[in-house]
Amino acid sequence: MSQGWKITVIVLAAAGVLSTPLIWLLNSPDAGQLTGASIQAAVGIAALVWALLQPGGNHTDDTAVDTGQARASGGGTAVTGVRRPKGRGSGSAKAEGTGNATATGNDSSAISGIDYS
């Protein structure tokens, strides 16, 4: 869970927990109002605990500097630099001074720099 979503869930859960006593203070609650307020407080507390127990986001900063040549042949793949399959990771990716990329043969690929595929 990203830090932004985690903060949002915590704020909303805290608002749910804190607003429950207001219902009790405004009027004498009947059984339905008391049940609703209790459920609201329980859900708010559960959401708060859940958000607090979530691990931090997958934040990585990747840097490749003065990368060498990437060569692939015969269906192979060569990457010099940063590879993030399927765009995984939430940090920055930076490649400087990338070298040549050469691919020969069917279904071969060579990437010099950053590969998000």
Side-chain angles (χ1 to χ4, degrees):
M1 169 182 279
S2 72
Q3 190 68 17
W5 277 111
K6 192 172 186 177
I7 290 170
T8 301
V9 170
I10 289 171
V11 168
L12 291 174
V17 171
L18 294 175
S19 67
T20 301
L22 292 177
I23 295 173
W24 294 331
L25 293 175
L26 292 177
N27 291 324
S28 298
D30 61 15
Q33 291 170 331
L34 186 58
T35 301
S38 299
I39 292 171
Q40 178 184 354
V43 169
I45 291 169
L48 181 61
V49 169
W50 176 80
L52 290 173
L53 295 177
Q54 291 300 306
N58 185 12
H59 182 78
T60 55
D61 293 326
D62 297 321
T63 303
V65 179
D66 294 327
T67 59
Q69 293 184 351
R71 293 182 182 204
S73 63
T77 301
V79 178
T80 70
V82 178
R83 183 166 192 210
R84 289 188 176 175
K86 299 180 183 174
R88 291 188 185 129
S90 61
S92 65
K94 182 178 181 181
E96 296 178 4
T98 59
N100 297 326
T102 306
T104 58
N106 293 335
D107 298 322
S108 62
S109 63
I111 295 111
S112 178
I114 302 171
D115 179 18
Y116 287 109
S117 59

